[in-house]
Amino acid sequence: MCHRNDSRNLPALIRSTLRPSSSGRPPARRRPMAAVLSFRPAAVGGPVRHRTNSSRRSPTRLAAELRETPSASVKTEDEERLGEGTAVSPPPGFKPPQPKRFSARPDKIVDVLSASLALPFRLGTGAFALGYSASFVSEGEIPPSVYSTFKIAGLKLKETSKLGPRPEMPIEIYEFEREIVSVLDLDVLYYPCPRNGLTYRPKVIQMGGKSQFPYMVDPNTGVAMYESDDIINYLVGKYGDGTRPFMLSLGLLTGSSYTPSKAPPKPLELWAYEASPFCKIVREVMVEMELPHLLHSTARGSPNRQKLFERVGHFQVPYLEDPNTGVKMFESAEIIDYLKTTYMLPASGPLGIEQGTYPLCTTGP
């Protein structure tokens, strides 16, 4: 449904940026997304298509524009509204919590259980990196400095994967495409686009010409595109082995509502993977608050597990690093509390926009 908006009281700059699409098409149907867990997924018929954006701008220039901060193209009123450039500091007296494995704070148990419901429908996709394999080896073959999930009877679990070429720079995605990112073990810079969001949805319109999501730009190649299937096909062709999980287009994919928040000067960094319900509830809050973040995928078999192990002395996710405040922390419930306390704005901002109530006309989810 296309929601019309009385924008007479909005500044002219924002009003012109948020013009409804002129395509006249109804919103794209929200296609369910899921996948079959497959160590060697079945190939999809036909070659992988590498489709560039139809904009008149060159791919190189387009990729450069995407790497700009939002304030580079939407200034003044938007900067003030989003808190761009304002000092960011952790809550007074804040101390990161001690990590606790496989435990949920009582007030988050329902959220964690709800986040777990989609996993069976996706048949584990996002839990394992491409080409995942596991075997038990002698405890002496894996030194203490190397990550291993557990040991039993003098044996340790050794997990490996067979990944494709690694991109030099993180892939940049506006909105979702999460499972395939975990499967391919890609680092991705996410620009969340929740429903009614005012920060990155206008940016997508500016770059691609329409309000449709997801939208991807690969700064390594200059390729930019819409459409979930095209993005997935491109990523598995460029950074995988050319195949994709057989049922990746099945399952539910939900959108989030916008919560007004301050824009962090630098993107946050999150170590996580989509199959973990503890990671999922943190990601959903970051999407609602439009917090750009660099996701380090840590599915089983991912080399990033060893990197995090070396970084903090053990492996546990989600793990958040905020370069704006210096905070580094585990524990999903406490991470959510930290994000809301540090970045959330009052329910009504200087433009009189209530949380999650500002309607936009879009052609996508």
Side-chain angles (χ1 to χ4, degrees):
M1 178 179 294
C2 181
H3 302 279
R4 297 197 176 276
N5 166 46
D6 184 359
S7 58
R8 289 173 294 181
N9 296 324
L10 290 177
L13 175 61
I14 299 178
R15 189 165 62 243
S16 62
T17 305
L18 303 180
R19 284 197 300 268
S21 170
S22 60
S23 63
R25 295 182 299 170
R29 294 184 62 184
R30 188 181 302 282
R31 287 179 293 186
M33 295 199 57
V36 136
L37 171 61
S38 174
F39 301 137
R40 301 295 299 176
V44 175
V48 172
R49 291 178 292 157
H50 293 189
R51 191 176 69 181
T52 57
N53 179 32
S54 60
S55 171
R56 293 181 180 178
R57 290 186 288 270
S58 67
T60 302
R61 180 181 175 188
L62 183 62
E65 288 180 359
L66 181 59
R67 291 193 295 273
E68 295 175 355
T69 60
S71 59
S73 56
V74 184
K75 299 181 179 179
T76 314
E77 291 93 349
D78 270 1
E79 285 184 339
E80 295 175 0
R81 173 181 59 77
L82 296 170
E84 186 74 40
T86 59
V88 178
S89 59
F94 174 82
K95 292 183 179 180
Q98 291 297 317
K100 299 181 289 291
R101 292 177 64 85
F102 305 115
S103 63
R105 206 170 67 186
D107 62 316
K108 295 296 182 183
I109 291 177
V110 173
D111 292 339
V112 172
L113 291 176
S114 298
S116 304
L117 294 178
L119 187 59
F121 295 99
R122 291 177 168 86
L123 301 180
T125 297
F128 300 89
L130 183 68
Y132 174 82
S133 64
S135 61
F136 282 99
V137 299
S138 171
E139 185 176 348
E141 294 185 28
I142 302 181
S145 60
V146 176
Y147 164 76
S148 178
T149 308
F150 61 89
K151 63 179 180 179
I152 183 172
L155 300 175
K156 281 188 174 181
L157 182 66
K158 181 179 181 180
E159 300 174 284
T160 60
S161 57
K162 297 180 180 179
L163 304 174
R166 303 291 82 191
E168 181 179 350
M169 293 180 286
I171 307 300
E172 298 167 352
I173 296 182
Y174 285 68
E175 193 68 346
F176 22 76
E177 298 312 332
R178 299 173 182 173
E179 288 87 356
I180 194 62
V181 165
S182 291
V183 171
L184 298 177
D185 194 47
L186 296 174
D187 285 353
V188 171
L189 182 56
Y190 278 101
Y191 295 94
C193 298
R195 291 193 188 102
N196 309 328
L198 298 177
T199 307
Y200 300 113
R201 283 183 173 248
K203 184 76 171 179
V204 170
I205 297 174
Q206 182 185 44
M207 291 186 302
K210 56 183 177 181
S211 180
Q212 180 177 317
F213 304 93
Y215 183 73
M216 182 212 75
V217 167
D218 184 348
N220 303 281
T221 63
V223 170
M225 62 177 64
Y226 292 96
E227 300 295 342
S228 296
D229 286 341
D230 289 342
I231 291 173
I232 292 170
N233 286 340
Y234 170 79
L235 291 176
V236 299
K238 186 67 178 177
Y239 302 111
D241 59 4
T243 62
R244 56 181 278 181
F246 177 62
M247 299 174 67
L248 193 59
S249 60
L250 296 181
L252 297 177
L253 196 158
T254 59
S256 301
S257 296
Y258 171 60
T259 298
S261 307
K262 292 184 291 186
K266 299 178 181 178
L268 283 63
E269 294 192 41
L270 183 68
W271 300 72
Y273 65 108
E274 188 62 20
S276 166
F278 298 97
C279 298
K280 188 176 180 65
I281 62 175
V282 172
R283 284 284 312 279
E284 290 299 328
V285 170
M286 298 181 82
V287 169
E288 291 171 5
M289 297 175 65
E290 282 190 314
L291 297 177
H293 54 281
L294 177 62
L295 175 68
H296 300 286
S297 296
T298 57
R300 301 199 71 90
S302 167
N304 281 336
R305 292 197 168 212
Q306 176 65 25
K307 292 179 183 178
L308 183 58
F309 182 85
E310 295 173 353
R311 202 179 189 101
V312 299
H314 71 288
F315 176 82
Q316 182 176 324
V317 289
Y319 178 68
L320 178 74
E321 295 178 311
D322 188 343
N324 306 290
T325 63
V327 166
K328 301 176 181 180
M329 61 187 299
F330 294 97
E331 295 300 318
S332 56
E334 282 75 9
I335 289 176
I336 291 172
D337 290 345
Y338 165 78
L339 293 174
K340 290 183 176 180
T341 303
T342 305
Y343 291 105
M344 185 179 291
L345 292 175
S348 182
L351 296 181
I353 300 172
E354 299 295 330
Q355 293 187 17
T357 61
Y358 186 76
L360 291 178
C361 179
T362 67
T363 60

